[in-house]
Amino acid sequence: MSLHDDAVLVLKAYEDQTDLRDAYLEHLAAHPDGLWKACGAGHLTASALVVDPERGRVLLTLHRKLRMWLQMGGHCEPGDATLAAAALREATEESGVAGLTLLPGGPVRLDRHPVPPPCHCHLDVQYAALATPDAVHAVSDESLDVRWFPYDEVPEVADDSVVRLLDATRTRLDA
C-alpha cells in the first residue's frame, strides 16, 4: 500500500472534524502529489504532540523558522510507509526522545494552517506520542530549543492550534 493510499484510509476512518477531513480527502483526490512538499497547492504533513501523562506535561519545540512553540512534525518523506510512521519519525527526530509510541486510535485531530513559502499551506494530521518516564530530549537542527511544559502553561507559550491538540489529546488519554 502506498503512503497516499494509507492517508486516504486514515482520513476516511477519522470520524471527527468532518468538513476538514473531507477537504483533506478532496485535496488528495485533486492532487496526486498532495503529500509532498513540492505540491504548490499545499500538502499533508504529519505531527505528534509528545506527552508525559505521568507528569502532566508536553514536549514542545521552538521552531527555528517560525519561532513558535509547536508540537513535533513536518513533511512526509518517500520512506514513510504510513502517516503514523511519518508522525513518529518526525517526533523522534525533532525531540531526540527514543522509545516514543503513538497514542492508540489514530490521529487526534486535523489542523489546516498557512505557512511561509514555498509551502503555503499545511494540512496537518496530528497524532500524540507517549514518552517513556525516563525520556531524554535533545535540540535538533530544526529547533532553537526543546522544552517540557506543564499542561496549564501551554496556552501561555503556544498558539491555539497547539492548545486544541493538547485538549484533544487529554480527552483521548482520559477516555
Side-chain angles (χ1 to χ4, degrees), residues 63-146:
H63 194 278
R64 182 171 297 281
K65 290 181 184 176
L66 300 177
R67 302 203 183 272
M68 297 171 61
W69 287 104
L70 300 170
Q71 75 276 12
M72 315 300 164
H75 298 104
C76 296
E77 295 180 2
D80 295 326
T82 64
L83 282 177
L88 189 58
R89 176 187 50 75
E90 285 286 343
T92 301
E93 287 175 1
E94 292 186 7
S95 71
V97 175
L100 295 174
T101 57
L102 291 182
L103 192 62
V108 175
R109 68 181 321 277
L110 306 175
D111 188 75
R112 177 175 47 200
H113 49 269
V115 292
C119 295
H120 303 294
C121 179
H122 282 173
L123 308 171
D124 197 27
V125 181
Q126 301 177 326
Y127 293 81
L130 300 173
T132 60
D134 59 346
V136 176
H137 63 280
V139 178
S140 76
D141 291 341
E142 298 179 35
S143 303
L144 296 171
D145 195 5
V146 176

